[in-house]
Amino acid sequence: MDDRWTAEHVLSLSPDAASRKAAAELGTADPWSGTGANETAVWGACRGSGSRPYRTVVALDGPAYHCSCPSRKFPCKHALALLLLRSAGELTGAAAPDWADAWLTARRQHADGAASPTASATGPADSPTPAPARDDAAAAARRRRREARVAAGAAELQARLEDQLRGGLADAPTRGQAFWEGVAARMVDAQAPGLAARARELGALPASGGSWPSRLVEEYGLLHLLAAGYQRVDALPAPLAATVRARVGFTVDNAEVLGGGPLIRDRWLVLGSRDSADDRLTTRRLWLHGARSGRLALLLSFGRPGVAPELALPTGLEVDADLAFHPAARPLRAALGSRYAAPVAPTAPGPVGVTLDAALTEYARALGEDPWLESWPTVLTGVTPVPTESGWQLVDATGAVPLRTASLWRLVAASGGRPVTLFGECGHRGFSAVTCWTEAGSLPL
């Protein structure tokens, strides 16, 4: 079976539109030399503006990338172009040059070392120095101090929200963003970044158009519920307590999640990805669906401002891998463990979806378990984008919802007025489309 990725699969790895365009321009044989491929990697040297060509190698089992170019994007245009050449069957060499083989060997050794229980627990076998023991007592003391500060911050926030409601909402538009920025700063001092982020958003609601008072009261209620929930988090059921702690701003390290298990090995279909950025982080969200388990999963990967996160998986392909889910009332976020092979094309032509009515029902169930959810990932089958007087909507025989996508015309062109399969997030503002499936395969939007 031909396991080469299609050009769409390759371009779904692009960190942005500019990278897609640049990769397409470099995806010809002309600027390349010394190219080749085997079952696990591709490599080549690309002529650039400098005196030396850029050396690029891609390990297909990640995929993972290495390039000597100075780009901060990940993967860079050279790695994408090399994969496009592989898609077109234009890589003929079979023996990796020394520089490519050295990187691939070092990567394998690093992976073997990380997977070794002996190495991870005590350091390299020939090292006489044992790894330093964790100071569990000090960590527990730090955790207790933080919990006390967060509890005090949550109590202060509750009091402020109650004061706002007692005084009425009439002066909310004139209070300005500065008031809630000040409240958010207090929550940051209390080490509750989740409360801070939600408090900061309150300042913009009076300028969000008609019906802002009802939206503001709803958000007051949700934030008050979260702050009150944290006050009695120890009395909540464990899954709900984990959700409240995560919403307040406590994080759990992926290594801890993987270590605590259970691990779920499955063939995970990559449903799509989205990047977002603020002044602190670039965040990549990747959604997966398990072929055997039927579970949805969300992977998060982070990069510095202006730098694409390292983890990238091709949309529309399956990854044989272990996942472990973060604890929550409705688990979705997961940590990626061992990967057992390079991403491959799935046996089914696309994911199996549901109707709009079923998707809204599932979103309602999710809200019942986590009322602070903004949306829930869903695959829709047999939906058609149509223009209406109130904007574009998705319709099927069971209903209609507002359509939200940054690539509306790409979706409309793919549909051509016919029903399509769509992956995206179903939320109270409508359906945010991420990936479309047609007879030609997956199409990132």
Side-chain angles (χ1 to χ4, degrees):
M1 183 177 69
D2 188 351
D3 60 351
R4 286 179 299 180
W5 306 346
T6 67
E8 287 294 346
H9 292 146
V10 172
L11 294 176
S12 72
L13 297 167
S14 304
D16 52 37
S19 296
R20 281 195 293 274
K21 181 180 179 182
E25 292 173 351
L26 288 173
T28 64
D30 181 56
W32 291 90
S33 60
T35 58
N38 57 28
E39 293 180 350
T40 61
V42 297
W43 55 85
C46 185
R47 185 175 64 246
S49 56
S51 58
R52 294 183 177 180
Y54 298 124
R55 292 173 168 179
T56 309
V57 56
V58 180
L60 299 174
D61 60 345
Y65 320 90
H66 174 73
C67 186
S68 60
C69 77
S71 174
R72 301 174 71 191
K73 296 181 180 179
F74 218 83
C76 70
K77 59 185 179 183
H78 304 102
L80 291 169
L82 200 53
L83 289 171
L84 287 176
L85 289 173
R86 178 176 180 263
S87 299
E90 296 186 15
L91 300 180
T92 56
D98 291 344
W99 55 267
D101 191 54
W103 180 78
L104 292 167
T105 300
R107 181 174 176 274
R108 282 194 297 271
Q109 290 174 342
H110 178 76
D112 292 343
S116 167
T118 302
S120 60
T122 63
D126 58 353
S127 171
T129 306
R134 291 180 53 187
D135 190 342
D136 292 337
R142 287 195 297 273
R143 184 171 61 250
R144 287 194 297 271
R145 286 196 295 273
R146 183 185 178 188
E147 289 171 346
R149 297 186 69 168
V150 172
E156 178 185 335
L157 181 59
Q158 276 185 273
R160 285 179 178 268
L161 290 168
E162 290 162 4
D163 287 344
Q164 295 298 310
L165 287 175
R166 274 194 290 268
L169 303 179
D171 64 341
T174 59
R175 194 174 298 125
Q177 184 75 35
F179 173 81
W180 288 110
E181 287 288 351
V183 176
R186 295 281 296 170
M187 295 304 106
V188 170
D189 290 343
Q191 296 182 286
L195 295 179
R198 296 189 80 100
R200 191 175 291 113
E201 291 171 358
L202 292 178
L205 280 178
S208 62
S211 303
W212 67 263
S214 60
R215 288 196 293 277
L216 188 58
V217 170
E218 289 169 4
E219 291 302 321
Y220 275 6
L222 285 171
L223 189 50
H224 190 277
L225 178 65
L226 183 57
Y230 187 77
Q231 299 298 314
R232 53 193 299 267
V233 68
D234 292 337
L236 298 176
L240 181 57
T243 294
V244 169
R245 290 176 62 84
R247 296 291 180 190
V248 165
F250 287 90
T251 58
V252 181
D253 188 73
N254 274 345
E256 184 179 342
V257 174
L258 289 169
L263 298 176
I264 300 175
R265 180 174 178 178
D266 206 336
R267 292 182 289 110
W268 298 96
L269 174 66
V270 183
L271 294 171
S273 69
R274 277 282 185 271
D275 284 4
S276 59
D278 56 26
D279 56 355
R280 298 179 301 112
L281 283 175
T282 300
T283 303
R284 175 167 296 157
R285 295 183 294 161
L286 294 123
W287 293 272
L288 311 177
H289 179 264
R292 290 187 291 269
S293 66
R295 296 189 66 163
L296 289 163
L298 171 65
L299 304 179
L300 296 180
S301 182
F302 303 100
R304 300 190 306 276
V307 179
E310 184 171 347
L311 180 61
L313 297 172
T315 297
L317 295 185
E318 282 186 344
V319 182
D320 182 5
D322 290 330
L323 294 189
F325 284 80
H326 286 243
R330 194 175 181 87
L332 179 65
R333 186 183 173 187
L336 180 61
S338 298
R339 282 176 272 185
Y340 299 97
V344 297
T347 54
V352 177
V354 299
T355 64
L356 282 170
D357 182 64
L360 292 172
T361 300
E362 186 63 15
Y363 175 50
R365 290 197 188 104
L367 278 178
E369 297 176 55
D370 181 354
W372 303 283
L373 272 177
E374 291 289 330
S375 57
W376 186 254
T378 305
V379 177
L380 299 174
T381 296
V383 291
T384 307
V386 297
T388 69
E389 292 183 355
S390 57
W392 283 83
Q393 297 206 334
L394 285 177
V395 301
D396 69 5
T398 67
V401 297
L403 170 63
R404 297 161 54 83
T405 175
S407 304
L408 174 63
W409 298 113
R410 191 174 169 88
L411 171 58
V412 171
S415 166
R418 297 181 295 274
V420 295
T421 296
L422 271 183
F423 167 72
E425 292 185 295
C426 190
H428 59 279
R429 296 179 180 173
F431 186 85
S432 298
V434 176
T435 306
C436 171
W437 272 265
T438 66
E439 294 177 353
S442 60
L443 179 68
L445 299 173

